[in-house]
Amino acid sequence: MTEKLDNLMGGRWVAGTGAGTPLFDPVLGTELVRVDATGLDLRAGFAYAREQGGAALRAMSYRERAGLLAAVVKLLQSRRDDYYAIALANSGTVKTDSAVDIDGAIYTLSTYAKLGESLGDRAFLLDGEPARLASGPTREPVFQSQHVLVPTRGLALFINAFNFPGWGLWEKAAPALLSGVPVVVKPATATAWLTQRMVRDVVEAGVLPPGALSVVCGSAVGLLDALEPFDVVSFTGSAQTAALVRSHPAVTQRSVRVNIEADSVNSALLLPGADATSEAFDLLASEVAREMTQKSGQKCTAIRRVFVPESLYEAAAQAIAARLARVTVGNPRNEAVRMGALVNRAQLASVHDGLAHLRAQAEVLHDGATHALVDADPQVACCIGPTLLGTRSAAGSDTGDRVHDTEVFGPVATLLPYRDRDHAVQLVRRGHGSLVVSVFGSDAGALALAALELAPFHGRVHIVSPDVAAHHTGHGNVMPQSLHGGPGRAGGGEELGGARALNFYHRRTAVQAGTAALALLAHPAP
Ligand code: NAP
């Protein structure tokens, strides 16, 4: 039997008491490690995190906690090779795809370390200016309301998805730790190894105070039951599991604050006015092919629907298909391979099912099955070539629902023609709320107008015009400076967005007082 990964609960590394769930190499099929959370005393472990970790973090200023994040960055940087090796073995990703997770995590942490520096040596944050409630004889304010943001006195529980075991931990932990809130992370079972290793490295190096960071690898059973009123939970995963989290008594009865990042049928839109020889057209085709194949399409932000003027449907199909045809698929250990594996057999089966579901309302424009696997056994490897679907019929895009409702979590997208701009916006909106839409064109006025029209239905609008071709950060790349999350079907959550991320980990309180007391609140006596 392979090694069983320990959990970190109550400041101690503890093995589960069960046999454990094996994690596999999705290309070679070999068993790697096991995870098991059976028998953990979650209530005691959570109390330790709140009391020890929370108190130690809150005793520091924002600047001091920013220093902790900077130390985590240094430590993770020094172990990058180990993390790349785990990602290769457990996620089956090529190096550039592993970088999105590992270096993306390090970059996000560094960004919050810098942001924390700028918050200075305070113990809390002011929210806005004082508002006058009563005036004195000369109309001076004598009684005012000042809102303050203070770190919540609970812990932050992260329940994460399998596709970002590195970034998924640190994009949440950076703002939580900076806010002074201890973290318990429960990674998705399939890829828990990388998360566990990062936590182990950071904790063993003594970079964080005891109790500031804990990890539970294995089943989620009992985690939500152990939450208390001032805890917060941040969930990333499928809409189905999100519904269970939302309806748990911790949320419905104990008012545990919850943030949900769920699935999303994101779009790319080429505005009217471009032709097949334009740079905007070319930028769209490249971005769609890149988004479909990066991490084998296992990104919550990946482009799933592609909207082009109806006169460009065929040209767009050819341009995207030509790029996809060049993608070599297979064993990421082979230098010639550009796209590795899906995470496991269950995901492979789910992508096949999703494709069959979509094909009932669409035609195949590029068939992933035409990609012979490089250096990988198709009977064992969870690899699949990229497939572009398309539908010109109203039954597929106007009255049909599958293409707008189905997130196939793999290298799959569907091309859809539109008649005019209003029709395009109407079709994009049928995703019922998404994480991101990218808009391609060269008329700045038309791009800005489209951004505002699409904004109510998206967490992020990514505009690509020829002048930013070499500078834009990518449709699917989540930048810590920008909001991540989306309304409606995407879960309604908000993460990142620079300092905005800290709000989730703070309580906002109105302090009503006389001017003298409020002045001391803003500038406490040394
Ligand atoms: P999932 O099956 O919903 O699992 C997500 C997490 O929930 C895992 O850690 C899972 O643990 C845990 N979980 C399972 N049952 C639970 C329960 N009853 N109570 C509490 N937690 C429970 O999702 P996934 O397959 O890992 O991830 C793929 C999905 O995530 C896709 O739909 C994708 O769009 C979405 N996603 C969204 C974002 C975003 O930021 N919006 C980012 C990445 C992924 P186990 O693994 O142990 O079952």
Side-chain angles (χ1 to χ4, degrees):
M1 203 197 288
T2 51
E3 176 201 349
K4 207 160 68 170
L5 301 180
D6 282 344
N7 305 279
L8 180 62
M9 260 294 101
R12 289 185 312 115
W13 289 101
V14 200
T17 53
T21 306
L23 273 48
F24 294 98
D25 182 316
V27 178
L28 307 177
T30 45
E31 185 176 320
L32 300 166
V33 289
R34 287 181 170 242
V35 295
D36 177 31
T38 320
L40 296 185
D41 188 345
L42 295 173
R43 283 184 195 280
F46 281 22
Y48 179 86
R50 285 182 206 105
E51 286 154 25
Q52 302 295 317
L57 287 169
R58 287 196 308 275
M60 298 176 176
S61 67
Y62 291 92
R63 193 198 304 276
E64 287 169 322
R65 293 193 294 260
L68 297 182
L69 298 188
V72 173
V73 166
K74 254 192 172 161
L75 196 270
L76 296 182
Q77 267 166 344
S78 73
R79 308 283 167 88
R80 271 173 84 241
D81 289 350
D82 295 352
Y83 305 146
Y84 272 87
I86 292 175
L88 175 67
N90 192 192
S91 294
T93 37
V94 294
K95 203 164 181 191
T96 47
D97 287 354
S98 302
V100 181
D101 189 34
I102 296 163
D103 293 324
I106 293 174
Y107 173 68
T108 304
L109 271 162
S110 318
T111 304
Y112 277 95
K114 284 194 200 97
L115 191 150
E117 272 279 313
S118 71
L119 296 177
D121 294 316
R122 318 183 50 95
F124 68 97
L125 299 173
L126 292 175
D127 176 26
E129 298 292 316
R132 180 193 304 243
L133 299 178
S135 305
T138 57
R139 299 191 54 76
E140 78 282 13
V142 292
F143 193 65
Q144 303 190 84
S145 174
Q146 169 70 61
H147 289 83
V148 296
L149 291 164
V150 291
T152 190
R153 289 303 176 99
L155 58 77
L157 172 65
F158 304 154
I159 300 178
N160 283 353
F162 71 80
N163 55 339
F164 281 107
W167 177 82
L169 161 61
W170 296 111
E171 61 107 8
K172 295 179 183 185
L177 294 171
L178 182 57
S179 300
V181 177
V183 166
V184 177
V185 60
K186 185 268 183 262
T189 293
T191 56
W193 191 13
L194 179 57
T195 309
Q196 194 266 7
R197 176 63 67 85
M198 286 176 156
V199 172
R200 199 189 82 183
D201 287 350
V202 168
V203 169
E204 284 184 353
V207 168
L208 296 174
L213 183 58
S214 309
V215 62
V216 177
C217 302
S219 156
V221 170
L223 280 178
L224 296 168
D225 300 331
L227 291 177
E228 292 187 355
F230 304 112
D231 296 334
V232 300
V233 57
S234 181
F235 170 84
T236 302
S238 62
Q240 213 177 357
T241 315
L244 295 175
V245 174
R246 278 189 214 283
S247 57
H248 190 278
V251 178
T252 57
Q253 290 166 27
R254 300 198 285 282
S255 304
V256 165
R257 187 183 281 171
V258 61
N259 190 76
I260 302 280
E261 299 289 341
D263 52 11
S264 170
V265 190
N266 312 295
S267 311
L269 166 63
L270 178 66
L271 286 185
D275 64 30
T277 61
S278 65
E279 207 178 335
F281 177 90
D282 206 48
L283 287 167
L284 170 104
S286 303
E287 195 64 6
V288 170
R290 195 166 72 94
E291 281 293 312
M292 286 176 69
T293 52
Q294 191 173 58
K295 283 182 74 66
S296 300
Q298 296 170 111
K299 284 193 317 183
C300 51
T301 50
I303 295 170
R304 309 291 180 198
R305 298 176 297 155
V306 186
F307 297 95
V308 295
E310 56 191 2
S311 60
L312 293 180
Y313 178 82
E314 267 148 26
Q318 280 168 20
I320 298 166
R323 284 168 171 80
L324 295 178
R326 294 199 288 270
V327 177
T328 40
V329 185
N331 188 338
R333 293 163 185 85
N334 186 312
E335 292 273 303
V337 167
R338 291 286 159 271
M339 189 170 93
L342 296 173
V343 74
N344 55 25
R345 301 302 294 180
Q347 280 303 312
L348 184 63
S350 150
V351 169
H352 281 300
D353 288 352
L355 263 172
H357 185 69
L358 287 181
R359 281 175 74 157
Q361 292 184 353
E363 58 178 326
V364 178
L365 301 173
H366 175 81
D367 191 350
T370 58
H371 291 250
L373 300 192
V374 176
D375 216 0
D377 177 354
Q379 300 303 315
V380 177
C382 306
C383 297
I384 184 169
T387 293
L388 180 68
L389 302 172
T391 175
R392 265 183 285 208
S393 78
S397 76
D398 286 296
T399 51
D401 49 13
R402 294 189 177 192
V403 66
H404 304 293
D405 286 354
T406 313
E407 182 204 49
V408 180
F409 211 57
V412 178
T414 307
L415 183 66
L416 297 151
Y418 65 81
R419 289 187 300 277
D420 53 33
R421 206 173 156 284
D422 287 352
H423 186 214
V425 170
Q426 190 189 324
L427 290 175
V428 171
R429 285 175 55 175
R430 292 201 57 207
H432 299 297
S434 302
L435 294 171
V436 52
V437 55
S438 52
V439 188
F440 296 78
S442 47
D443 175 339
L447 287 164
L449 196 66
L452 287 179
E453 255 182 288
L454 294 167
F457 316 104
H458 297 88
R460 182 160 59 86
V461 181
H462 182 75
I463 292 187
V464 183
S465 46
D467 54 314
V468 299
H471 307 285
H472 79 94
T473 47
H475 164 104
N477 279 347
V478 176
M479 304 302 290
Q481 299 83 351
S482 298
L483 186 81
H484 174 59
R489 173 193 178 131
E494 285 194 355
E495 286 178 351
L496 300 172
R500 289 171 191 82
L502 274 58
N503 288 342
F504 185 67
Y505 302 100
H506 284 76
R507 307 299 315 179
R508 181 181 284 115
T509 304
V511 179
Q512 301 180 165
T515 304
L518 284 187
L520 281 176
L521 195 67
H523 304 286

